Amino acid sequence: MHVETVFILLFVVASTVAIASRKLRVPYTVALVATGLLLGALDVMEAPFLTKELLFAVFLPGLLFEAAYHLEFDEFKRHLVPIVSLAVPGVVVAIALVALLLTPFVGGLELEAGFTWEYGLVFGALIAATDPIAVVALFKSLGAPKRLGVLVEGESLLNDGTAVVLFGLALAFTTGEAMSGGDLLWEFVVSVGAGAAVGMVIGMAVAEVMKRVDDPMVEITLTTVAAYGSFVAAEHFHFSGVIATVAAGMLCGNYAATRGMTPSTRIAVEAFWEYLAFALNSIVFLLIGLQVELVGTPGGSPGLLRAWLPILGAYVAVTLARTFVVGGVYAGLAAARRPIPASWAVVLGWGGLRGGISMVLALSLAPTFPHRNFIITMTFGVVILVLLIHGMTMAPLLNRLGLAARHEARESFEQARGRLQVARRALAELQSMRETRFTDPDVLDALEAEYEERLEAARGQIRNLHLEHRELRLEEDIRARRRLLFAEKDELLEAYRRGLVSQDVEEHLLADIDARMTRLEEGLEGAEGSEGDPD
């Protein structure tokens, strides 16, 4: 079967699954994997092999860039402490725990002779990557609270880069390269830091070019250059391509989009990346399902069904390690008086899905690497179990915790607020048109009356939603207060710069503003964490 025919069939299958999953209310990514498993078991098509080169050259940069492009930097910065805690020390601890739990299990039951803790570290590193492809798609479809979504997306994006770097270091250590703890730490810092620098340089360069052009097609092309160019450039110098792409995506989404794109261009760029993410998501999850061997082949992988015991042990080890890490971060944040709701911690622990990255890292092991087939089998099994079990139970979990119960109300509120904003913008434009006097005043009067009516309707809908759902009013009140605190802080810093207040006064007042900001953040997170509670 020709490659072109295979890809057309994959898109046909993806479209069919997308339609069916919406009607059946099944997470799209889970439905794709299940369909891929079925097609692979029936052997109805010969799909391309999901290699490391294919994932890194085609799928990963585009998906990472699209997720980072839509990640608001201000929200990311507000959650920086839990995100970094989960994505850096959390990943290190998870790798160690998986190795400590899995190695004695495998050795005690004599499942694989000679499987020592060094190989457990390799498996722990490659399975530690919580796949942003799976997590982002799943949370968008389930409508989790926005701030919880930012926390999950940010942690997944950074976690991915951390896990890939640590996998390379674990592999180097296991194969006998003489590296001290200091060397490993230095390699990690250089890979991640230099990768972020490469992404920021390319993202800023693209943003500056965008400010000087006004052509949607050119600017779409420039974002594509930023996505794939940052990844390739970083990997060329042996830095983290994942971190580079995330940095470039956040710069383009938060700086280039707001300062270098017209409204029509932003719409075109977002539509392009939304479609590209859908297409790449569809293909990669189908390929994951098609690539899994349920029965196995002689002399190769034993298959998932025959290796159920080590797969189950690995799944338990991975789940326990994730639970321990999230619980530790939750306790640490509470002790530091920067808590997140307990329900969010539960979702973070259960939502650590794995996907194509772990599978490809396992497949990238050299054919001569000891226990390669055993590690590949466990990896594929854990990925499938996590996607199917956790993916299928995520919606009931969110409902049980009250995090999706108000999704319809929140969506209605955001729609009303969006209508209010665009009506205000249209009225401002009408005023500008009046000043130029190029348009008939009667036409402008009719349009003004129409938009005033829309404005009043949106205000009325917001008022009604505030009355019906108090948490929406509380959140809006807190956000408004936070904006005022930022204005206070800016004014205070400007007063100090101009010599109107002394340093002691500035520090005292800044401490007061920061204290009020902390209390406000706790109030907002508490409101969102309990948004499903009864009124």
Side-chain angles (χ1 to χ4, degrees):
M1 190 179 292
H2 294 295
V3 176
E4 298 90 339
T5 306
V6 171
F7 273 99
I8 291 172
L9 288 175
L10 288 174
F11 276 114
V12 170
V13 172
S15 301
T16 305
V17 171
I19 295 170
S21 64
R22 288 187 180 183
K23 289 186 177 295
L24 299 175
R25 297 185 178 277
V26 176
Y28 180 51
T29 51
V30 176
L32 284 170
V33 172
T35 303
L37 280 170
L38 178 63
L39 294 176
L42 298 175
D43 197 22
V44 296
M45 72 167 61
E46 196 172 320
F49 206 62
L50 188 59
T51 63
K52 182 178 180 181
E53 290 74 20
L54 182 61
L55 185 76
F56 277 33
V58 178
F59 295 104
L60 196 56
L63 288 163
L64 289 170
F65 184 87
E66 190 273 339
Y69 183 89
H70 292 98
L71 191 62
E72 295 180 16
F73 182 74
D74 288 340
E75 295 290 337
F76 176 83
K77 187 170 63 174
R78 289 173 56 208
H79 288 293
L80 191 61
V81 172
I83 285 172
V84 173
S85 300
L86 288 168
V88 183
V91 170
V92 174
V93 172
I95 292 171
L97 283 176
V98 169
L100 289 172
L101 293 170
L102 183 63
T103 304
F105 174 80
V106 172
L109 296 180
E110 298 181 353
L111 300 175
E112 179 81 358
F115 189 85
T116 59
W117 66 272
E118 292 93 339
Y119 303 108
L121 279 178
V122 172
F123 174 76
L126 65 88
I127 205 66
T130 56
D131 196 334
I133 300 170
V135 174
V136 171
L138 186 60
F139 270 74
K140 283 182 179 178
S141 66
L142 294 178
K146 183 180 178 182
R147 285 163 60 82
L148 175 58
V150 169
L151 183 56
V152 170
E153 289 185 43
E155 188 259 331
S156 297
L157 290 170
L158 290 191
N159 173 300
D160 186 46
T162 304
V164 171
V165 173
L166 291 174
F167 170 74
L169 297 178
L171 199 58
F173 177 76
T174 304
T175 52
E177 291 188 24
M179 299 181 74
S180 66
D183 292 336
L184 290 172
L185 180 61
W186 176 249
E187 286 289 329
F188 174 80
V189 171
V190 169
S191 181
V192 172
V198 169
M200 287 190 287
V201 168
I202 293 178
M204 187 60 69
V206 167
E208 290 300 320
V209 174
M210 285 182 177
K211 289 167 66 176
R212 291 161 174 78
V213 298
D214 185 17
D215 187 324
M217 296 302 103
V218 172
E219 294 182 63
I220 288 173
T221 305
L222 286 171
T223 58
T224 308
V225 170
Y228 289 87
S230 57
F231 191 94
V232 170
E235 288 290 322
H236 176 75
F237 293 105
H238 305 290
F239 304 142
S240 174
V242 172
I243 297 296
T245 302
V246 170
M250 291 185 69
L251 261 175
C252 288
N254 290 273
Y255 179 74
T258 56
R259 302 192 182 185
M261 296 183 191
T262 62
S264 59
T265 299
R266 283 201 297 271
I267 292 171
V269 171
E270 291 185 7
F272 168 79
W273 281 104
E274 186 176 355
Y275 167 71
L276 188 63
F278 170 79
L280 295 177
N281 255 323
S282 302
I283 299 300
V284 78
F285 277 100
L286 276 177
L287 291 181
I288 287 174
L290 285 165
Q291 200 154 297
V292 172
E293 295 181 3
L294 292 175
V295 179
T297 55
S301 170
L304 301 189
L305 297 180
R306 285 191 291 173
W308 67 270
L309 188 55
I311 288 172
L312 183 61
Y315 166 76
V316 171
V318 169
T319 304
L320 288 176
R322 176 71 179 177
T323 302
F324 180 85
V325 167
V326 173
V329 171
Y330 171 76
L333 291 172
R337 304 193 65 181
R338 302 190 64 173
I340 59 173
S343 58
W344 290 20
V346 173
V347 173
L348 282 170
W350 195 246
L353 306 186
R354 271 68 178 176
I357 299 168
S358 295
M359 296 173 71
V360 169
L361 289 177
L363 290 170
S364 70
L365 294 171
T368 57
F369 187 80
H371 312 291
R372 180 178 187 270
N373 288 337
F374 184 70
I375 290 174
I376 290 174
T377 300
M378 285 196 301
T379 303
F380 279 33
V382 169
V383 168
I384 295 300
L385 278 179
V386 172
L387 279 174
L388 294 180
I389 295 175
H390 296 218
M392 289 297 294
T393 56
M394 185 57 68
L397 178 65
L398 287 172
N399 282 313
R400 179 75 176 175
L401 295 173
L403 295 176
R406 296 287 191 241
H407 176 52
E408 292 182 3
R410 182 173 300 282
E411 187 173 330
S412 298
F413 177 72
E414 290 181 358
Q415 287 180 358
R417 193 165 55 184
R419 293 191 190 100
L420 185 69
Q421 190 66 24
V422 297
R424 285 174 175 166
R425 180 67 181 84
L427 288 170
E429 187 65 23
L430 281 170
Q431 184 59 37
S432 176
M433 293 168 68
R434 286 189 188 280
E435 292 172 1
T436 58
R437 300 185 179 182
F438 287 145
T439 308
D440 190 314
D442 292 339
V443 172
L444 295 178
D445 289 341
L447 288 171
E448 186 173 25
E450 178 184 335
Y451 276 97
E452 286 285 1
E453 186 177 339
R454 293 185 186 182
L455 192 70
E456 193 53 42
R459 284 174 176 160
Q461 187 178 2
I462 289 174
R463 282 195 296 269
N464 291 335
L465 287 167
H466 279 168
L467 291 173
E468 294 173 11
H469 306 283
R470 288 180 297 177
E471 72 277 1
L472 297 177
R473 173 61 183 266
L474 176 61
E475 285 179 32
E476 193 162 19
D477 178 74
I478 292 175
R479 292 182 194 280
R481 291 178 182 275
R482 187 179 66 198
R483 184 169 176 177
L484 294 176
L485 285 175
F486 277 121
E488 285 186 37
K489 197 168 188 177
D490 288 342
E491 183 62 26
L492 181 59
L493 292 173
E494 178 63 19
Y496 172 69
R497 189 186 66 80
R498 294 167 56 191
L500 299 178
V501 296
S502 66
Q503 184 174 357
D504 289 342
V505 171
E506 184 223 19
E507 291 176 354
H508 176 76
L509 294 177
L510 277 178
D512 175 65
I513 293 173
D514 288 340
R516 285 188 286 157
M517 184 73 75
T518 300
R519 291 195 297 271
L520 208 59
E521 298 295 338
E522 292 173 0
L524 181 54
E525 290 183 346
E528 288 192 339
S530 60
E531 65 182 19
D533 296 340
D535 288 340

